[in-house]
Amino acid sequence: MPSRSNPARAPSPWLPIVSAIVFSLAASPALAAPRPKLVVVLVVDQMRADYVERFGSAWRGGLHRLFTEGAYFRNAAFPYLQTITCAGHATISTGAYPYRHGMVQNAWYDRSAGKLISCTNDPTQPLLSYGSPVSGGDSPAFLQVPTLADEMRAQLSPAAKVVTTSLKARSAIMLAGHAAVATTWADAGVFVTSRSYTDAPVPAVANFLGKNPIAWDRLPVWNLLLPPRRYWFADDAPGEAAPHGWTRGFPHALVGANALDSLTNWVRSPFADAYLADLALALVKDLQLGRGPAADYLGISFSVLDLVGHAYGPRSFEVQDVLLRLDQTLGTFLTGLDRLVGKNEYVVALTSDHGVAAIPEQLEALGVPAGRIPVDRLKAGLEAALDRELGAGSHLAAVVYTDIYFAAGVYEKLLATPGALARVRAAVLGVPGVSEAFFGAELADVAPYEPAARRAAALSYFPGRSGDMVLVPAPNHITVAHGTTHGSHNDYDQRVPLVFAGAGVARGQFSRRVSPADLAPTLGQMVGVTLPRPDGAVLPEVVPAR
């Protein structure tokens, strides 16, 4: 693993935070409490921090319970550039940033293979299906540091049970780490796991799936939970990119032309989140989580908000309704944990892996500078600049979000040509929506006093996986042609909720700057585990006095 310095966090100008929750909770001293028997990590994929502040007054269930009864950190943010799902989940579970854990993107360009590979790709660990046969393989082999769950098994007891589930492989795997009794996700229409975790399908998972089949031809219609007047903004807004088979406005039918279409619709509906929570509760019961000699670990990543948010954006009725229904889902889930484990016997932490940008067309209509980075123009301009420096040829290998990969030997030739790097950088900076660009060598070791963009890029940079160049999007500029996305160091991508509750955690709201990387060290402290090389720190507001 490469040796890198640990750039300290530096102040960053956050937008003013105005809570939609009408009361303020004052912190009270934590009371002595026994160690929790179960650690629960909930990740709501693509949940911006301002969703709590803007939409939270309508919540009455589990989200309401967590944010009003727990220790709520209102100024939590990832300090790095590539705010992407795989990177975020790895940061949450390890307490380290991408420059340490190595998960720089959901997929990166593998120079030796000459193609993109996913962050969990592992052909040596085939998938095991709970339904029809599937191909491919996944594992945590690329993850460079242990997760909290790994350390619980190593430091507490090998008998500590680890269970994770999601709709995405990268989410379930990154939350688990290198071993689990049950790690499950959806793939090609069925739930699967990997031989990295088990040699056969887990009976408890198979039992739930068998008793709760998803009837693809009888799926419900997704309607608004509340009257339209109760939602912010407008339905069917400019720039929304309705997925295949759906319109930009409610309602949304789930039953499609065939089983695969229906599955695709179901996966991006709130009903998939509810199913995942039911599966998790069933595993808590059947695997007796929280009943063993050492603390157990449960991780759930809810993916629907991300799938909906990419298409409809953060100002949509769809995003608000997903959160309203997740609030209900988590209410049922937490009540189930109260019954199965004991209300004060478990600790739960909720956060997100990243935020998301607003749809540019909607901001432009408000007079806010915004736009879409023309990726084709970026590629063409780069190729032209490289041709001028090195002669005609194919010099560009791939562009993956903010990472630019040159063909083999190109970077070395540019280094040997006086002024070439500066001229290539100028070509990138000439593309609308690009504010800065760095070469990999500039990101190998960045001191805390460096400009924020360069420091953020350095915290995302992992030699051998990251690009030869890294571009930095300007505020409210994105790299996709439709809908919206994330993956920048801008506030709306970096800021996410962070809340802890249960097991003696004193309720309160805290405005100091913290990081989702603090989640794993804090939960570790509560169960008596120390992470080996965290960038995050233990949050004293959360850890009960011993």
Side-chain angles (χ1 to χ4, degrees), residues 504-518:
V505 175
R507 70 176 185 171
Q509 291 191 16
F510 309 97
S511 59
R512 73 181 181 93
R513 184 170 57 89
V514 298
S515 166
D518 300 331

Side-chain angles (χ1 to χ4, degrees), residues 18 149 178 199 230 260 324 351 375 391 393 529:
V18 180
H178 295 83
D199 291 329
R230 297 284 304 277
L260 184 57
L324 284 165
T351 190
V375 177
V529 165

Side-chain angles (χ1 to χ4, degrees), residues 124-468:
T124 71
Q125 301 295 330
L127 297 181
L128 296 171
S129 174
Y130 289 95
S132 56
V134 294
S135 59
D138 289 288
S139 86
F142 289 128
L143 185 62
Q144 299 295 297
V145 295
T147 64
L148 170 61
D150 289 333
E151 291 302 321
M152 288 173 64
R153 295 182 70 256
Q155 298 180 35
L156 299 179
S157 169
K161 294 186 283 289
V162 175
V163 173
T164 67
T165 186
S166 180
L167 297 177
K168 299 179 181 180
R170 54 186 174 268
S171 303
I173 289 173
M174 290 302 121
L175 286 184
H178 295 83
V181 298
T183 291
T184 310
W185 60 93
D187 184 273
V190 296
F191 279 88
V192 301
T193 187
S194 164
R195 287 192 182 274
S196 177
Y197 296 108
T198 179
D199 291 329
V202 178
V205 176
N207 181 55
F208 175 86
L209 297 176
K211 290 181 177 179
N212 299 276
I214 301 169
W216 308 118
D217 58 342
R218 297 193 300 276
L219 292 174
V221 173
W222 178 14
N223 283 299
L224 289 173
L225 186 64
L226 301 178
R229 68 178 184 278
R230 297 284 304 277
Y231 293 77
W232 287 64
F233 310 116
D235 198 12
D236 189 6
E240 293 182 354
H244 173 71
W246 284 5
T247 63
R248 297 198 316 196
F250 275 94
H252 299 304
L254 270 60
V255 175
N258 51 53
L260 184 57
D261 282 352
S262 297
L263 168 72
T264 302
N265 293 336
W266 177 82
V267 162
R268 63 187 180 220
S269 80
F271 308 111
D273 279 344
Y275 190 88
L276 211 62
D278 289 344
L279 168 60
L281 268 185
L283 296 181
V284 170
K285 179 180 179 180
D286 291 350
L287 298 175
Q288 295 289 288
L289 298 190
R291 302 291 183 88
D296 295 323
Y297 175 96
L298 172 65
I300 312 173
S301 179
F302 296 100
S303 306
V304 171
L305 187 63
D306 181 74
L307 301 175
V308 167
H310 274 288
Y312 291 97
R315 297 162 61 90
S316 65
F317 278 22
E318 283 78 6
V319 157
Q320 295 171 67
D321 205 69
V322 167
L323 289 167
L324 284 165
R325 292 177 182 273
L326 182 62
D327 175 54
Q328 292 185 333
T329 290
L330 290 181
T332 302
F333 173 74
L334 294 175
T335 300
L337 288 184
D338 294 344
R339 182 182 70 255
L340 294 171
V341 183
K343 188 169 184 179
N344 296 313
E345 302 293 342
Y346 67 92
V347 61
V348 57
L350 180 145
T351 190
S352 183
D353 50 350
H354 53 75
V356 68
I359 291 178
E361 290 81 1
Q362 296 176 12
L363 293 182
E364 289 176 317
L366 298 172
V368 178
R372 300 182 183 275
I373 298 173
V375 177
D376 288 344
R377 176 175 166 181
L378 170 69
K379 292 178 180 179
L382 259 175
E383 283 285 16
L386 293 169
D387 283 350
R388 289 193 294 271
E389 301 297 334
L390 306 176
S394 181
H395 306 299
L396 188 62
V399 176
V400 184
Y401 273 84
T402 53
D403 276 335
I404 298 170
Y405 297 84
F406 297 146
V410 166
Y411 185 68
E412 291 73 17
K413 293 177 182 177
L414 293 174
L415 279 174
T417 306
L421 291 179
R423 290 188 290 271
V424 171
R425 191 199 310 267
V428 173
L429 293 177
V431 176
V434 177
S435 67
E436 297 188 62
F438 303 104
F439 290 98
E442 299 174 291
L443 304 177
D445 189 8
V446 178
Y449 54 80
E450 292 285 358
R454 183 171 175 180
R455 182 175 56 256
L459 290 175
S460 286
Y461 182 80
F462 193 87
R465 295 181 187 172
S466 296
D468 298 291

